[in-house]
Amino acid sequence: MVTTEQQEKLRGWFAGRLSDDLFEELVEVRVDREEITVIGRIPEPRLAKDAPAAEREAALQGRIEEFRERTREARIEVAREAEHRFRRKVSWGVECGGERALFTHVAAPVMTRLRQPERQVLDTLIAGGVARSRSDALAWCVRLVQRHADGWLTELRDSLEHVQRVRAQGPDAEPEDTPKDDE
């Protein structure tokens, strides 16, 4: 698990490394064991106030596609540095006019063993047309829990950070001024 301090340092590195003209604002930097996702806000296209919804949607998609193509080389350069430094893949996304679009990002496989009652839940979701496969059904369940358990998950993450800080102070913790073997 990534601590709040590590997350803040990571966000700071991206804020310092990205050119000022890439995003209007660095909205979010998320990290897990496999991936860092960097999301920034880009300017909305200028449209008439009474522009139809279809025109607005098409303009937003056009702006997002234009940004993705125009900034590809710069984003690749930063991603290569970050991937080397942090040993995780870097994915990108943007917010534009209230829309969020993620560019190529990691879909990591997760293995699990389920007993019959859990498999029946997944199979019910498939039979009901909610999911195409057990894998899709399980991903749907994770998104549902994520949406409805944010407070609980935040509290759990905070508790885990506290445990990590206490462990770091224990008798087996290495003093910060101790040189590493490779130094």
Side-chain angles (χ1 to χ4, degrees):
M1 188 183 116
V2 177
T3 65
T4 301
E5 182 181 356
Q6 291 168 328
Q7 181 109 14
E8 290 168 354
K9 286 181 179 179
L10 189 69
R11 182 181 173 87
W13 185 86
F14 276 98
R17 178 57 185 85
L18 296 174
S19 65
D20 289 338
D21 62 344
L22 187 64
F23 297 125
E24 286 185 326
E25 175 188 3
L26 183 59
V27 175
E28 186 177 358
V29 177
R30 286 185 298 195
V31 63
D32 66 9
R33 287 189 275 176
E34 291 84 21
E35 177 181 30
I36 300 167
T37 304
V38 180
I39 300 172
R41 184 170 292 112
I42 61 174
E44 293 182 45
R46 292 184 185 153
L47 298 170
K49 290 192 190 279
D50 60 346
E55 181 179 338
R56 183 182 188 302
E57 185 178 328
L60 288 174
Q61 290 306 313
R63 175 61 52 92
I64 290 167
E65 290 170 18
E66 184 277 333
F67 171 86
R68 185 177 185 187
E69 293 304 317
R70 177 175 45 83
T71 63
R72 184 181 309 272
E73 292 303 316
R75 289 183 297 105
I76 287 172
E77 183 180 329
V78 173
R80 282 191 182 132
E81 285 180 44
E83 287 170 5
H84 178 75
R85 181 182 191 108
F86 302 113
R87 306 224 185 284
R88 291 173 172 89
K89 286 291 187 190
V90 175
S91 300
W92 300 91
V94 295
E95 283 186 1
C96 183
E99 297 290 318
R100 182 175 274 204
L102 295 176
F103 306 152
T104 305
H105 50 282
V106 174
V110 178
M111 294 290 296
T112 187
R113 296 186 186 280
L114 300 176
R115 301 210 186 281
Q116 189 177 37
E118 291 96 4
R119 293 191 311 266
Q120 287 174 334
V121 169
L122 301 181
D123 292 342
T124 301
L125 293 172
I126 295 166
V130 173
R132 293 183 313 257
S133 65
R134 285 181 172 172
S135 178
D136 284 346
L138 189 56
W140 183 89
C141 290
V142 169
R143 286 191 302 274
L144 182 66
V145 169
Q146 180 184 23
R147 185 176 306 134
H148 294 291
D150 260 352
W152 179 79
L153 290 173
T154 299
E155 189 175 333
L156 182 60
R157 286 184 190 108
D158 292 345
S159 296
L160 289 171
E161 282 188 38
H162 178 72
V163 168
Q164 287 179 339
R165 283 193 303 271
V166 170
R167 278 189 188 143
Q169 297 169 1
D172 294 334
E174 219 176 87
E176 288 191 28
D177 58 351
T178 303
K180 306 280 187 246
D181 290 339
D182 60 344
E183 292 184 308

PDB file of all heavy atoms in Angstrom, residues 115-134:
ATOM      1  N   ARG A 115     -16.248 -19.764  -3.536  1.00  0.00           N
ATOM      2  CA  ARG A 115     -17.108 -20.902  -3.201  1.00  0.00           C
ATOM      3  C   ARG A 115     -18.434 -20.724  -3.950  1.00  0.00           C
ATOM      4  O   ARG A 115     -18.712 -19.674  -4.528  1.00  0.00           O
ATOM      5  CB  ARG A 115     -17.311 -20.974  -1.701  1.00  0.00           C
ATOM      6  CG  ARG A 115     -15.986 -21.110  -0.955  1.00  0.00           C
ATOM      7  CD  ARG A 115     -16.152 -21.881   0.329  1.00  0.00           C
ATOM      8  NE  ARG A 115     -14.939 -21.913   1.125  1.00  0.00           N
ATOM      9  CZ  ARG A 115     -13.903 -22.705   0.897  1.00  0.00           C
ATOM     10  NH1 ARG A 115     -13.903 -23.508  -0.141  1.00  0.00           N
ATOM     11  NH2 ARG A 115     -12.851 -22.690   1.695  1.00  0.00           N
ATOM     12  N   GLN A 116     -19.254 -21.756  -3.905  1.00  0.00           N
ATOM     13  CA  GLN A 116     -20.481 -21.758  -4.692  1.00  0.00           C
ATOM     14  C   GLN A 116     -21.381 -20.547  -4.434  1.00  0.00           C
ATOM     15  O   GLN A 116     -21.877 -19.950  -5.400  1.00  0.00           O
ATOM     16  CB  GLN A 116     -21.256 -23.048  -4.479  1.00  0.00           C
ATOM     17  CG  GLN A 116     -22.429 -23.162  -5.444  1.00  0.00           C
ATOM     18  CD  GLN A 116     -23.157 -24.471  -5.301  1.00  0.00           C
ATOM     19  OE1 GLN A 116     -23.309 -24.986  -4.192  1.00  0.00           O
ATOM     20  NE2 GLN A 116     -23.606 -25.016  -6.422  1.00  0.00           N
ATOM     21  N   PRO A 117     -21.627 -20.125  -3.188  1.00  0.00           N
ATOM     22  CA  PRO A 117     -22.509 -18.960  -2.999  1.00  0.00           C
ATOM     23  C   PRO A 117     -21.992 -17.695  -3.696  1.00  0.00           C
ATOM     24  O   PRO A 117     -22.779 -16.945  -4.275  1.00  0.00           O
ATOM     25  CB  PRO A 117     -22.534 -18.779  -1.475  1.00  0.00           C
ATOM     26  CG  PRO A 117     -22.186 -20.117  -0.916  1.00  0.00           C
ATOM     27  CD  PRO A 117     -21.236 -20.739  -1.912  1.00  0.00           C
ATOM     28  N   GLU A 118     -20.669 -17.491  -3.676  1.00  0.00           N
ATOM     29  CA  GLU A 118     -20.117 -16.320  -4.365  1.00  0.00           C
ATOM     30  C   GLU A 118     -20.225 -16.469  -5.879  1.00  0.00           C
ATOM     31  O   GLU A 118     -20.521 -15.514  -6.588  1.00  0.00           O
ATOM     32  CB  GLU A 118     -18.643 -16.096  -3.967  1.00  0.00           C
ATOM     33  CG  GLU A 118     -18.455 -15.657  -2.539  1.00  0.00           C
ATOM     34  CD  GLU A 118     -18.147 -16.823  -1.597  1.00  0.00           C
ATOM     35  OE1 GLU A 118     -18.006 -17.974  -2.072  1.00  0.00           O
ATOM     36  OE2 GLU A 118     -18.079 -16.576  -0.377  1.00  0.00           O
ATOM     37  N   ARG A 119     -19.989 -17.683  -6.389  1.00  0.00           N
ATOM     38  CA  ARG A 119     -20.131 -17.916  -7.833  1.00  0.00           C
ATOM     39  C   ARG A 119     -21.570 -17.707  -8.280  1.00  0.00           C
ATOM     40  O   ARG A 119     -21.830 -17.205  -9.370  1.00  0.00           O
ATOM     41  CB  ARG A 119     -19.645 -19.321  -8.194  1.00  0.00           C
ATOM     42  CG  ARG A 119     -18.155 -19.525  -8.000  1.00  0.00           C
ATOM     43  CD  ARG A 119     -17.651 -20.833  -8.610  1.00  0.00           C
ATOM     44  NE  ARG A 119     -18.429 -22.003  -8.250  1.00  0.00           N
ATOM     45  CZ  ARG A 119     -18.153 -22.837  -7.236  1.00  0.00           C
ATOM     46  NH1 ARG A 119     -17.117 -22.603  -6.460  1.00  0.00           N
ATOM     47  NH2 ARG A 119     -18.911 -23.900  -7.022  1.00  0.00           N
ATOM     48  N   GLN A 120     -22.524 -18.080  -7.414  1.00  0.00           N
ATOM     49  CA  GLN A 120     -23.937 -17.897  -7.752  1.00  0.00           C
ATOM     50  C   GLN A 120     -24.277 -16.409  -7.880  1.00  0.00           C
ATOM     51  O   GLN A 120     -25.085 -16.043  -8.741  1.00  0.00           O
ATOM     52  CB  GLN A 120     -24.826 -18.572  -6.712  1.00  0.00           C
ATOM     53  CG  GLN A 120     -24.812 -20.080  -6.832  1.00  0.00           C
ATOM     54  CD  GLN A 120     -25.587 -20.769  -5.718  1.00  0.00           C
ATOM     55  OE1 GLN A 120     -25.735 -20.240  -4.623  1.00  0.00           O
ATOM     56  NE2 GLN A 120     -26.087 -21.960  -6.024  1.00  0.00           N
ATOM     57  N   VAL A 121     -23.670 -15.578  -7.057  1.00  0.00           N
ATOM     58  CA  VAL A 121     -23.887 -14.135  -7.184  1.00  0.00           C
ATOM     59  C   VAL A 121     -23.424 -13.678  -8.568  1.00  0.00           C
ATOM     60  O   VAL A 121     -24.143 -12.967  -9.279  1.00  0.00           O
ATOM     61  CB  VAL A 121     -23.138 -13.356  -6.069  1.00  0.00           C
ATOM     62  CG1 VAL A 121     -23.135 -11.860  -6.367  1.00  0.00           C
ATOM     63  CG2 VAL A 121     -23.745 -13.643  -4.713  1.00  0.00           C
ATOM     64  N   LEU A 122     -22.226 -14.089  -8.950  1.00  0.00           N
ATOM     65  CA  LEU A 122     -21.689 -13.687 -10.260  1.00  0.00           C
ATOM     66  C   LEU A 122     -22.561 -14.226 -11.387  1.00  0.00           C
ATOM     67  O   LEU A 122     -22.862 -13.510 -12.349  1.00  0.00           O
ATOM     68  CB  LEU A 122     -20.247 -14.170 -10.407  1.00  0.00           C
ATOM     69  CG  LEU A 122     -19.249 -13.657  -9.366  1.00  0.00           C
ATOM     70  CD1 LEU A 122     -17.861 -14.205  -9.659  1.00  0.00           C
ATOM     71  CD2 LEU A 122     -19.239 -12.140  -9.301  1.00  0.00           C
ATOM     72  N   ASP A 123     -22.984 -15.476 -11.278  1.00  0.00           N
ATOM     73  CA  ASP A 123     -23.804 -16.084 -12.325  1.00  0.00           C
ATOM     74  C   ASP A 123     -25.172 -15.402 -12.439  1.00  0.00           C
ATOM     75  O   ASP A 123     -25.730 -15.293 -13.532  1.00  0.00           O
ATOM     76  CB  ASP A 123     -23.966 -17.587 -12.071  1.00  0.00           C
ATOM     77  CG  ASP A 123     -22.643 -18.341 -12.244  1.00  0.00           C
ATOM     78  OD1 ASP A 123     -21.715 -17.779 -12.868  1.00  0.00           O
ATOM     79  OD2 ASP A 123     -22.545 -19.473 -11.740  1.00  0.00           O
ATOM     80  N   THR A 124     -25.703 -14.912 -11.316  1.00  0.00           N
ATOM     81  CA  THR A 124     -26.967 -14.168 -11.348  1.00  0.00           C
ATOM     82  C   THR A 124     -26.792 -12.860 -12.107  1.00  0.00           C
ATOM     83  O   THR A 124     -27.663 -12.461 -12.897  1.00  0.00           O
ATOM     84  CB  THR A 124     -27.474 -13.898  -9.913  1.00  0.00           C
ATOM     85  OG1 THR A 124     -27.662 -15.156  -9.256  1.00  0.00           O
ATOM     86  CG2 THR A 124     -28.791 -13.128  -9.929  1.00  0.00           C
ATOM     87  N   LEU A 125     -25.667 -12.197 -11.895  1.00  0.00           N
ATOM     88  CA  LEU A 125     -25.400 -10.948 -12.629  1.00  0.00           C
ATOM     89  C   LEU A 125     -25.284 -11.215 -14.128  1.00  0.00           C
ATOM     90  O   LEU A 125     -25.736 -10.416 -14.949  1.00  0.00           O
ATOM     91  CB  LEU A 125     -24.129 -10.275 -12.096  1.00  0.00           C
ATOM     92  CG  LEU A 125     -24.227  -9.739 -10.669  1.00  0.00           C
ATOM     93  CD1 LEU A 125     -22.856  -9.284 -10.179  1.00  0.00           C
ATOM     94  CD2 LEU A 125     -25.232  -8.605 -10.587  1.00  0.00           C
ATOM     95  N   ILE A 126     -24.705 -12.350 -14.482  1.00  0.00           N
ATOM     96  CA  ILE A 126     -24.600 -12.716 -15.898  1.00  0.00           C
ATOM     97  C   ILE A 126     -25.985 -13.006 -16.467  1.00  0.00           C
ATOM     98  O   ILE A 126     -26.357 -12.486 -17.526  1.00  0.00           O
ATOM     99  CB  ILE A 126     -23.661 -13.936 -16.077  1.00  0.00           C
ATOM    100  CG1 ILE A 126     -22.229 -13.562 -15.681  1.00  0.00           C
ATOM    101  CG2 ILE A 126     -23.709 -14.444 -17.519  1.00  0.00           C
ATOM    102  CD1 ILE A 126     -21.316 -14.758 -15.510  1.00  0.00           C
ATOM    103  N   ALA A 127     -26.763 -13.808 -15.757  1.00  0.00           N
ATOM    104  CA  ALA A 127     -28.108 -14.166 -16.221  1.00  0.00           C
ATOM    105  C   ALA A 127     -28.996 -12.933 -16.341  1.00  0.00           C
ATOM    106  O   ALA A 127     -29.848 -12.861 -17.238  1.00  0.00           O
ATOM    107  CB  ALA A 127     -28.748 -15.178 -15.258  1.00  0.00           C
ATOM    108  N   GLY A 128     -28.772 -11.944 -15.486  1.00  0.00           N
ATOM    109  CA  GLY A 128     -29.572 -10.718 -15.520  1.00  0.00           C
ATOM    110  C   GLY A 128     -29.098  -9.714 -16.557  1.00  0.00           C
ATOM    111  O   GLY A 128     -29.681  -8.641 -16.700  1.00  0.00           O
ATOM    112  N   GLY A 129     -28.040 -10.053 -17.280  1.00  0.00           N
ATOM    113  CA  GLY A 129     -27.547  -9.163 -18.325  1.00  0.00           C
ATOM    114  C   GLY A 129     -26.693  -8.014 -17.806  1.00  0.00           C
ATOM    115  O   GLY A 129     -26.355  -7.103 -18.559  1.00  0.00           O
ATOM    116  N   VAL A 130     -26.324  -8.042 -16.535  1.00  0.00           N
ATOM    117  CA  VAL A 130     -25.480  -6.992 -15.956  1.00  0.00           C
ATOM    118  C   VAL A 130     -24.032  -7.168 -16.405  1.00  0.00           C
ATOM    119  O   VAL A 130     -23.311  -6.195 -16.590  1.00  0.00           O
ATOM    120  CB  VAL A 130     -25.575  -7.017 -14.407  1.00  0.00           C
ATOM    121  CG1 VAL A 130     -24.595  -6.051 -13.772  1.00  0.00           C
ATOM    122  CG2 VAL A 130     -26.998  -6.713 -13.965  1.00  0.00           C
ATOM    123  N   ALA A 131     -23.618  -8.426 -16.591  1.00  0.00           N
ATOM    124  CA  ALA A 131     -22.236  -8.728 -16.973  1.00  0.00           C
ATOM    125  C   ALA A 131     -22.225  -9.830 -18.023  1.00  0.00           C
ATOM    126  O   ALA A 131     -23.158 -10.630 -18.113  1.00  0.00           O
ATOM    127  CB  ALA A 131     -21.448  -9.157 -15.732  1.00  0.00           C
ATOM    128  N   ARG A 132     -21.152  -9.860 -18.816  1.00  0.00           N
ATOM    129  CA  ARG A 132     -21.013 -10.874 -19.862  1.00  0.00           C
ATOM    130  C   ARG A 132     -20.320 -12.139 -19.369  1.00  0.00           C
ATOM    131  O   ARG A 132     -20.435 -13.195 -19.961  1.00  0.00           O
ATOM    132  CB  ARG A 132     -20.201 -10.311 -21.029  1.00  0.00           C
ATOM    133  CG  ARG A 132     -20.895  -9.201 -21.772  1.00  0.00           C
ATOM    134  CD  ARG A 132     -20.053  -8.736 -22.959  1.00  0.00           C
ATOM    135  NE  ARG A 132     -18.666  -8.520 -22.594  1.00  0.00           N
ATOM    136  CZ  ARG A 132     -18.097  -7.347 -22.395  1.00  0.00           C
ATOM    137  NH1 ARG A 132     -18.801  -6.253 -22.559  1.00  0.00           N
ATOM    138  NH2 ARG A 132     -16.831  -7.246 -22.071  1.00  0.00           N
ATOM    139  N   SER A 133     -19.528 -11.992 -18.297  1.00  0.00           N
ATOM    140  CA  SER A 133     -18.749 -13.124 -17.798  1.00  0.00           C
ATOM    141  C   SER A 133     -18.568 -12.975 -16.292  1.00  0.00           C
ATOM    142  O   SER A 133     -18.876 -11.925 -15.724  1.00  0.00           O
ATOM    143  CB  SER A 133     -17.366 -13.131 -18.470  1.00  0.00           C
ATOM    144  OG  SER A 133     -16.644 -11.968 -18.079  1.00  0.00           O
ATOM    145  N   ARG A 134     -18.031 -14.002 -15.668  1.00  0.00           N
ATOM    146  CA  ARG A 134     -17.743 -13.901 -14.239  1.00  0.00           C
ATOM    147  C   ARG A 134     -16.716 -12.812 -13.961  1.00  0.00           C
ATOM    148  O   ARG A 134     -16.790 -12.120 -12.956  1.00  0.00           O
ATOM    149  CB  ARG A 134     -17.249 -15.250 -13.696  1.00  0.00           C
ATOM    150  CG  ARG A 134     -18.367 -16.265 -13.528  1.00  0.00           C
ATOM    151  CD  ARG A 134     -17.842 -17.567 -12.963  1.00  0.00           C
ATOM    152  NE  ARG A 134     -18.952 -18.469 -12.619  1.00  0.00           N
ATOM    153  CZ  ARG A 134     -18.773 -19.711 -12.250  1.00  0.00           C
ATOM    154  NH1 ARG A 134     -17.550 -20.213 -12.139  1.00  0.00           N
ATOM    155  NH2 ARG A 134     -19.817 -20.461 -11.953  1.00  0.00           N
TER     156      ARG A 134
END
